[in-house]
Amino acid sequence: AMISTVHFSVQYDNAFWSPAAKQMGYGDGGVDLKPLPAALDVIAHEFTHGVTQATAKLTYQDATGALNESISDIFAAFIEHTYQANENDNFLIGELIGKSGPLRNMVHPADEALQYPQRDHMQVYFKTKQDNGGIHINSGIPNNAMALMTVGGTNDVSKVQLPRGLGWDKSEKIWYHALTNFFMSSDDFETAATKTIAAAEDLGLPETDRNVVECAWIAVGVLSGECK
């Protein structure tokens, strides 16, 4: 059974997935956030942690933990797009519950107007012992790779431009296939990059599409080389 607890604690500015209890919990906010169950992408984010725990079992530490967090944001965007399609808002995380605006932006992760700006390129990867090795700030890097491979665009640091993306359907299939068939518990950004490319090939996508996936990871500095 899926267990989901609302009204968790008092003025709790957060939502969570409990690996031990295998349940979700949502606070009512109060200081920085509005009630968290009001946002479909927040619910999808937490639910995806459960899916990740049941499939890839990504360790919640350092780059692997950041990949874990990113996958929850990625499927938050996919799920929101499925039910509430909006090309701009679907790449925003928590836009309905942040009192001062969106929490995160997958297209521009480092935007200082966000409540929680993130890193957007490996050149600025943040090394810290806090937050399990900076998992919530560094997850902006694969977040941006997903946005680029989905709709195209330009990374704000490298200025590498993808003139086109794969579209939402193909991108979603690649990420789900990679998560459930290729990702393993210790994977980092680089292995995630190679495995999303492998997932695209396994799904039978042409070389031109696989090049888009590779270029997205080059744009955020995870892979080296030139885009094809």
Side-chain angles (χ1 to χ4, degrees):
M2 180 170 61
I3 303 171
S4 186
T5 302
V6 296
H7 307 302
F8 181 83
S9 191
V10 178
Q11 288 194 318
Y12 187 66
D13 264 335
N14 210 345
F16 63 87
W17 166 261
S18 170
K22 294 183 179 179
Q23 75 174 79
M24 297 174 283
Y26 302 91
D28 290 328
V31 181
D32 296 321
L33 305 178
K34 302 173 187 177
L36 282 93
L40 174 60
D41 55 0
V42 173
I43 296 170
H45 175 105
E46 302 306 339
F47 187 81
T48 301
H49 277 308
V51 177
T52 299
Q53 180 178 336
T55 54
K57 299 177 175 61
L58 291 168
T59 305
Y60 208 58
Q61 183 69 40
D62 299 325
T64 303
L67 179 62
N68 189 320
E69 274 297 319
S70 177
I71 287 170
S72 278
D73 277 355
I74 285 169
F75 281 98
F78 284 141
I79 290 168
E80 188 181 66
H81 184 266
T82 298
Y83 291 98
Q84 302 169 359
N86 182 303
E87 201 72 14
N88 295 315
D89 289 355
N90 296 151
F91 286 118
L92 302 176
I93 303 297
E95 68 272 16
L96 294 180
I97 54 98
K99 287 190 174 181
S100 61
L103 309 186
R104 296 184 289 278
N105 183 337
M106 300 173 73
V107 176
H108 301 289
D111 185 352
E112 291 297 327
L114 297 166
Q115 282 197 226
Y116 304 112
Q118 297 179 296
R119 298 306 167 93
D120 51 2
H121 194 277
M122 289 303 294
Q123 289 180 6
V124 290
Y125 184 94
F126 187 59
K127 294 183 178 181
T128 178
K129 292 183 179 180
Q130 296 180 341
D131 188 29
N132 291 49
I135 60 176
H136 288 90
I137 189 170
N138 290 316
S139 58
I141 296 171
N143 277 4
N144 190 235
M146 172 273 190
L148 291 171
M149 72 177 67
T150 302
V151 297
T154 304
N155 177 267
D156 290 332
V157 175
S158 69
K159 305 305 179 185
V160 172
Q161 182 181 28
L162 278 75
R164 75 174 183 94
L166 300 174
W168 289 87
D169 289 344
K170 283 184 181 179
S171 185
E172 182 176 6
K173 287 181 172 64
I174 289 169
W175 279 96
Y176 187 75
H177 196 66
L179 175 65
T180 57
N181 291 280
F182 289 94
F183 287 177
M184 300 177 67
S185 61
S186 61
D187 283 348
D188 57 15
F189 293 173
E190 186 172 357
T191 50
T194 59
K195 289 180 178 182
T196 49
I197 296 169
E201 183 174 11
D202 202 46
L203 289 168
L205 297 182
E207 183 179 6
T208 52
D209 285 350
R210 301 198 300 272
N211 289 343
V212 171
V213 178
E214 181 182 28
C215 186
W217 289 107
I218 291 172
V220 299
V222 170
L223 296 180
S224 58
E226 300 291 331
C227 291
K228 300 173 184 176

